[in-house]
Amino acid sequence: GVGAIGGIDDKGDADVFATTLTGSISVGSLTIKPELRADFASEKVFTDEDKNEDSLFSATLGAIYSF
């Protein structure tokens, strides 16, 4: 994993912590799943336009319709 995102320093060391919080809301045949995710790395591995960051936060929304 860590090497896949380039999160290693000059010595080949790295620390990564990632956590995800997912909910579930049902409305009839529709299930809505909001998700919040936070990633933290010991090195600046996440690229944001012209700069690198050591953390990344994201939010997604999924919907499932059953019939």
Side-chain angles (χ1 to χ4, degrees):
V2 176
I5 60 172
I8 53 177
D9 62 14
D10 295 338
K11 298 176 187 174
D13 297 327
D15 292 312
V16 175
F17 175 76
T19 187
T20 304
L21 177 64
T22 304
S24 184
I25 304 163
S26 295
V27 181
S29 297
L30 182 64
T31 302
I32 300 169
K33 292 194 163 278
E35 181 175 284
L36 299 173
R37 179 179 171 108
D39 295 277
F40 303 95
S42 59
E43 304 296 322
K44 294 188 175 201
V45 297
F46 303 107
T47 302
D48 181 19
E49 296 180 17
D50 295 330
K51 59 185 175 176
N52 290 335
E53 301 290 337
D54 61 357
S55 60
L56 176 70
F57 298 92
S58 61
T60 59
L61 183 64
I64 303 164
Y65 184 77
S66 300
F67 54 93

